[in-house]
Amino acid sequence: VIDMVLATDMSKHMSLLANLKTMVETKKVKGTEVFQMDNYSDKIKILQSMVHCCDLSNPTKPQEQYVQWVDRLMEEFWAQGDRERELGLDMSPMCDRANATIEKSQVGFIDYVVHPLWETWAELVFPDAQDILALLEKNRSYYDMLIPKTPPPSTEHIEESEEGLVFDVDDLNTNISKKGRSFSVDF
């Protein structure tokens, strides 16, 4: 039971994922459709991976449920950040409600944590899990769509001519020096 609870510790994520990938490769080498749990250690690894997948399953749920869980989780993070601020402590990652990047954090969480785990799990024990992976991609796309798009750089000080691009050097120097940098052009 203790091993199962510890499987929810994110510091163990990479080792759990590596174990899963090793089991997938073993299954491929043996040419079997089902992973054979030959020993107690393999059974524990499978159970730990299953619990870990359950712990990271919110992004695989229908979008309405997923969004509700993200909102709840962010409220919990922000409450922690508020308390850290009150105590004069350094703010934990993603706990500053004034600088929240929910959309980007969810896309990154799916790309680097959840998708590799679920893709590997599906390969190992549930090859027909394409519905789960499709839902995961749909949820990723939803949050990606919500990321504010950065406007293209201003081109108001650039003109096109037969000789190429022509810059207003005074405006360029002014803009660069506003950012605390120095720049000069001599002709």
Side-chain angles (χ1 to χ4, degrees):
V1 174
I2 293 171
D3 287 336
M4 298 309 113
V5 172
L6 292 176
T8 64
D9 183 346
M10 281 304 294
S11 70
K12 309 250 188 262
H13 173 75
M14 293 310 289
S15 66
L16 288 168
L17 184 56
N19 286 339
L20 263 180
K21 287 182 178 189
T22 299
M23 288 185 256
V24 167
E25 290 307 311
T26 300
K27 178 180 137 183
K28 287 179 182 176
V29 168
K30 288 183 177 180
T32 61
E33 288 188 31
V34 177
F35 179 73
Q36 302 296 320
M37 292 184 280
D38 298 328
N39 57 54
Y40 179 78
S41 176
D42 287 343
K43 291 175 185 177
I44 292 298
K45 287 176 185 174
I46 290 288
L47 290 172
Q48 287 175 323
S49 296
M50 188 183 321
V51 169
H52 189 52
C53 285
C54 290
D55 193 42
L56 298 180
S57 67
N58 284 333
T60 68
K61 294 178 180 170
Q63 185 177 319
E64 185 178 328
Q65 289 176 349
Y66 175 40
V67 169
Q68 288 174 355
W69 277 108
V70 168
D71 291 345
R72 290 175 183 137
L73 181 65
M74 293 311 300
E75 282 302 323
E76 182 180 323
F77 284 176
W78 293 336
Q80 176 181 330
D82 294 345
R83 185 73 176 131
E84 289 170 343
R85 182 177 288 114
E86 287 172 13
L87 296 172
L89 301 172
D90 289 337
M91 190 80 55
S92 296
M94 298 187 305
C95 292
D96 185 357
R97 72 176 68 238
N99 294 311
T101 56
I102 298 168
E103 299 83 6
K104 285 182 180 180
S105 68
Q106 288 307 302
V107 169
F109 182 57
I110 290 172
D111 286 349
Y112 299 107
V113 178
V114 180
H115 190 271
L117 176 68
W118 276 95
E119 183 177 52
T120 307
W121 177 255
E123 252 187 286
L124 180 68
V125 296
F126 195 53
D128 298 323
Q130 295 310 306
D131 290 346
I132 291 172
L133 296 176
L135 196 50
L136 182 61
E137 183 55 37
K138 180 181 174 191
N139 287 333
R140 185 212 177 274
S141 295
Y142 170 76
Y143 275 106
D144 187 51
M145 181 183 69
L146 295 177
I147 295 173
K149 304 302 178 211
T150 308
S154 173
T155 57
E156 66 186 61
H157 301 293
I158 303 173
E159 296 175 19
E160 187 78 39
S161 76
E162 289 178 15
E163 299 161 2
L165 294 177
V166 178
F167 295 87
D168 182 332
V169 175
D170 291 330
D171 285 339
L172 189 60
N173 281 330
T174 301
N175 286 330
I176 290 172
S177 64
K178 283 181 186 175
K179 295 184 180 189
R181 299 179 179 100
S182 62
F183 179 81
S184 64
V185 176
D186 295 322
F187 293 99

